[in-house]
Amino acid sequence: MESNHTLRRRDVVRKLLESRGDTLVVTGLGSSTWDVYALSDSPMNFYLWGAMGNAVMVGLGIAIAQPNRQVIVVTGDGEMLMGLGSLATTGVQRPANLAIVVLDNEHYGETGMQESHTSFNTDLAAVARANGIENSSTIDSMEEVETLANQIHTGGGTRFVCVKVSSEPDPKALPTRDGVDIKNMFRRAVLGQA
């Protein structure tokens, strides 16, 4: 069953990252990685492969370690559901430079497009808010995405945004799966170290 949302993931990611500057981006498993890689490949992207549920925690750690750099986590609803506990830790830490964007197609794309909990009654923004991330919302229009894109690279406190998107697939675009290469490229981009 397809979601009834009309926003396309790639259109959302394109808008969010088109003016990214030196923003650091952490991607979750699957589609979010493909989208970011296809539209904004950079050594300032940290692609997570096979680390389902860990995107927010990695992004939180980077945000704490790099307080003068904006950090955006781009992940999906399935990955976020796997890592709900990370919202509690993020709500305690609340770094001013962290934005979490969940591309919610209401399906588990990596395991066969089964409906996820968000297609029923799970409200991820409400969960984030309940865990202390006060600036939490759900959006479903390109106008709201454009507003978010104008705010997301400027800090202003921890932000959580669930973007309701279509479950229609986009072509896969796969970055390297070599975790050591990904780490080394990201480290050089952030710290300037070999």
Side-chain angles (χ1 to χ4, degrees):
M1 179 179 166
E2 283 193 24
S3 72
N4 59 358
H5 303 288
T6 60
L7 286 177
R8 298 296 304 259
R9 286 189 342 254
R10 293 241 167 117
D11 294 339
V12 171
V13 172
R14 180 179 291 109
K15 178 52 74 177
L16 293 179
L17 298 182
E18 69 185 359
S19 300
R20 70 181 278 181
D22 68 349
T23 296
L24 305 174
V25 178
V26 176
T27 64
L29 178 73
S31 300
S32 56
T33 290
W34 309 335
D35 296 338
V36 171
Y37 176 72
L39 300 168
S40 188
D41 184 34
S42 165
M44 293 186 297
N45 295 344
F46 197 89
Y47 303 114
L48 291 177
W49 286 108
M52 190 168 182
N54 290 312
V56 171
M57 290 309 295
V58 171
L60 175 62
I62 293 168
I64 291 169
Q66 295 292 315
N68 296 319
R69 303 282 293 272
Q70 185 63 16
V71 178
I72 300 173
V73 174
V74 181
T75 193
D77 52 305
E79 204 269 351
M80 188 70 259
L81 287 164
M82 176 73 86
L84 284 179
S86 65
L87 296 178
T89 304
T90 301
V92 169
Q93 294 294 318
R94 293 191 303 253
N97 59 329
L98 178 63
I100 302 162
V101 177
V102 177
L103 304 173
D104 182 5
N105 68 3
E106 301 178 351
H107 289 79
Y108 295 108
E110 290 301 292
T111 61
M113 292 304 286
Q114 304 90 344
E115 289 180 289
S116 79
H117 293 29
T118 63
S119 71
F120 298 99
N121 59 2
T122 300
D123 181 338
L124 291 174
V127 172
R129 200 172 304 107
N131 278 284
I133 305 172
E134 294 173 15
N135 189 352
S136 297
S137 61
T138 299
I139 64 176
D140 64 0
S141 72
M142 192 49 83
E143 292 77 21
E144 292 169 306
V145 171
E146 289 172 4
T147 299
L148 176 61
N150 291 329
Q151 300 168 344
I152 204 165
H153 303 288
T154 60
T158 302
R159 172 187 320 264
F160 180 97
V161 182
C162 182
V163 184
K164 292 291 191 171
V165 296
S166 167
S167 59
E168 190 173 328
D170 285 305
K172 288 183 181 181
L174 303 174
T176 180
R177 289 183 180 217
D178 187 321
V180 173
D181 282 348
I182 293 168
K183 177 209 47 139
N184 288 339
M185 285 186 290
F186 187 79
R187 184 179 178 89
R188 281 191 298 272
V190 174
L191 301 176
Q193 297 177 0

